[in-house]
């Protein structure tokens, strides 16, 4: 039991993840008699992770065949990889937000469209050919991490899941992924949240490169962060690392982080027009592995935010600053005001 003060049992299995970065959390719910045995995320489909999950579940006297429901926070392989295998053994439903369902189900048309988007994006971002080849080779080497394709059941924002021991509410929080969803529940001192990769304790979730389907990725993510502040979650259980004891404060910190990063992007453009790849080089330096995608993707998300606000113009692959010393505060939520509203009685 991760917290004896909760009204239900909450198990946690930490799963290694060498293909991407950071251990993954698999949460185990419905451990009480008569409750629906449920996993929130399943980890990447690798031999080591499979063994870790089997051994972790055994500590709760569970095997894959005992799982009665899987709830997925989003389509990335480090959260979904073992879902199909578990479903094949147990027959359990695999629930995922409708926006990410085709990718989790590995629908051929959706997968082909995603690959086309990727190739177009990295070219439009100005990524050098040798780095494109390096990225594609890394992704090809990680392809098996998706595991067996499950049959998925979709949900929408606001749908609920009654597990018998606790009721979860699906909360759509796009940005990092188009269909990223958390699961809110009544916790120890108020409403808590399984936050997936929407809210992480030590680093900021990538926007722009993590899911190239998302239009206005930064804008959508900022809206999700404001919602986290407004709902005043008292604790969040993220997809990686330990619980977050002040979710509104962490969300506010991430908003401020992105405001500062946008200022750095503007600083790069002060020296003249630049492509997303050139901006990312100034922000992050040399990139390797999955960061070859995430770096320029994040730069593009910030450039797109500036473009939508009329602060920059785009010609071909390059972005050019239209005004010196733009008012960046107007492009971001008012964090103190959001925190004040969230803490007002009745919110």
């Amino acid at each position: 039991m991760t917290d004896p003060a909760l009204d239900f049992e909450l198990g946690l299995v930490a799963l290694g993840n060498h293909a991407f970065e950071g251990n993954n959390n698999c949460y185990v719910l419905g451990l009480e008699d008569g409750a629906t045995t449920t996993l929130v995320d399943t980890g990447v489909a690798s031999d080591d992770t499979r063994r870790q999950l089997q051994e972790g579940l055994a500590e709760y006297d569970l095997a894959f065949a005992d799982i009665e429901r899987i709830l997925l926070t989003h389509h990335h392989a480090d959260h979904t990889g073992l879902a199909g295998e578990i479903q094949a053994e147990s027959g359990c439903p695999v629930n995922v937000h409708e926006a990410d369902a085709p990718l989790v189900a590995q629908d051929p048309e959706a997968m082909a469209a995603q690959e086309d988007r990727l190739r177009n994006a990295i070219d439009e971002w100005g990524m050098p050919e040798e780095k494109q080849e390096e990225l594609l080779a890394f992704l090809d080497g990680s392809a098996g991490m998706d595991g067996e394709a499950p049959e998925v059941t979709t949900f929408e924002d606001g749908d609920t899941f009654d597990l018998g021991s606790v009721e979860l509410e699906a909360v759509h929080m796009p940005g990092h992924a188009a269909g990223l969803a958390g699961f809110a529940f009544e916790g120890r001192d108020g409403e808590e949240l399984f936050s997936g990769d929407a809210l992480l304790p030590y680093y900021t979730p990538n926007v722009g490169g993590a899911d190239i389907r998302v239009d206005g990725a930064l804008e959508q993510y900022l809206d999700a962060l404001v919602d986290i502040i407004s709902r005043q979650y008292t604790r969040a259980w993220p997809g990686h690392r330990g619980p977050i004891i002040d979710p509104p404060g962490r969300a506010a910190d991430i908003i401020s982080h992105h405001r500062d990063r946008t200022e750095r992007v503007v600083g790069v453009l002060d020296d003249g027009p630049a492509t997303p790849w050139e901006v990312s080089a100034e922000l992050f330096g040399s990139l390797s592995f999955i960061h070859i995608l995430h770096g320029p993707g994040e730069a593009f998300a910030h450039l797109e935010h500036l473009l939508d606000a009329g602060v920059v113009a785009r010609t071909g692959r390059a972005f050019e600053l239209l005004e010196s010393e733009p008012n960046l505060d107007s492009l971001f939520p008012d964090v103190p005001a959001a925190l004040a509203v969230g803490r007002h009685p009745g919110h």
Side-chain angles (χ1 to χ4, degrees):
M1 185 183 294
T2 56
D3 186 348
L6 289 172
D7 291 336
F8 62 94
E9 290 191 66
L10 172 58
L12 169 64
V13 181
L15 303 173
N17 176 6
H18 301 299
F20 302 100
E21 56 181 321
N23 284 352
N24 284 81
N25 294 327
C26 172
Y27 297 102
V28 189
L29 299 93
L31 293 168
E32 297 84 353
D33 290 341
T36 303
T37 307
T38 301
L39 302 183
V40 177
D41 288 344
T42 65
V44 71
S46 70
D47 291 340
D48 287 344
T49 301
R50 180 183 301 104
R51 174 180 46 78
Q52 290 169 352
L53 182 54
Q54 289 170 333
E55 292 175 353
L57 291 175
E59 295 183 7
Y60 301 100
D61 296 323
L62 296 173
F64 284 2
D66 299 315
I67 304 306
E68 297 175 286
R69 183 183 295 278
I70 294 174
L71 299 173
L72 298 176
T73 59
H74 60 298
H75 73 86
H76 291 154
D78 57 328
H79 296 261
T80 67
L82 291 171
E85 185 174 336
I86 296 169
Q87 184 184 62
E89 291 198 32
S90 68
C92 71
V94 174
N95 298 95
V96 62
H97 187 274
E98 58 187 355
D100 277 9
L103 293 179
V104 174
Q106 300 178 36
D107 174 79
E109 289 187 10
M111 301 293 279
Q114 186 78 332
E115 184 172 352
D116 288 343
R117 284 191 208 95
L118 171 64
R119 291 179 181 272
N120 290 335
I122 60 179
D123 183 61
E124 291 178 2
W125 295 343
M127 184 182 295
E129 186 174 341
E130 65 273 14
K131 298 305 287 188
Q132 292 190 31
E133 292 175 356
E134 183 181 344
L135 172 64
L136 294 173
F138 170 79
L139 295 175
D140 285 344
S142 304
M145 299 299 151
D146 289 330
E148 298 181 24
E151 180 180 335
V152 300
T153 303
T154 63
F155 61 78
E156 300 177 1
D157 180 62
D159 285 352
T160 57
F161 301 91
D162 186 352
L163 307 185
S165 56
V166 62
E167 183 173 89
L168 305 179
E169 176 196 350
V171 183
H172 189 206
M173 300 183 289
H176 178 71
L180 197 153
F183 303 99
F185 61 93
E186 285 303 318
R188 181 178 60 188
D189 300 310
E191 196 173 39
E192 302 188 19
L193 176 73
F194 294 110
S195 61
D197 285 359
L199 198 68
L200 299 172
Y202 299 116
Y203 55 92
T204 57
N206 180 263
V207 291
D211 191 342
I212 51 178
R213 300 174 302 157
V214 186
D215 293 326
L218 181 56
E219 181 69 24
Q220 291 200 51
Y221 185 44
L222 293 172
D223 288 344
L225 292 170
V226 170
D227 185 64
I228 288 172
I229 294 172
S230 298
R231 290 186 64 149
Q232 285 291 288
Y233 297 110
T234 58
R235 186 165 47 175
W237 302 86
H240 304 267
R241 304 198 182 190
I244 301 167
I245 60 173
D246 180 15
R250 178 59 182 150
D253 287 344
I254 295 175
I255 292 172
S256 297
H257 161 86
H258 280 294
R259 193 267 180 221
D260 293 343
R261 177 155 287 171
T262 297
E263 186 169 13
R264 292 184 62 199
V265 171
V266 169
V268 175
L269 297 183
D270 275 334
D271 295 330
T275 66
W277 178 261
E278 291 167 339
V279 172
S280 73
E282 293 293 327
L283 295 179
F284 309 116
S286 179
L287 299 170
S288 59
F289 305 114
I290 194 65
H291 302 292
I292 301 172
L293 174 62
H294 286 178
E298 178 110 3
F300 175 76
H302 284 262
L303 290 164
E304 182 184 40
H305 196 55
L306 292 167
L307 181 67
D308 290 343
V311 176
V312 304
R314 181 178 183 179
T315 303
R317 294 178 174 85
F319 291 77
E320 180 179 6
L321 197 61
L322 293 179
E323 55 181 293
S324 59
E325 300 183 4
N327 178 16
L328 298 183
D329 289 338
S330 66
L331 309 185
F332 289 86
D334 185 334
V335 170
L339 288 168
V341 169
R343 289 170 182 161
H344 191 276
H347 288 74

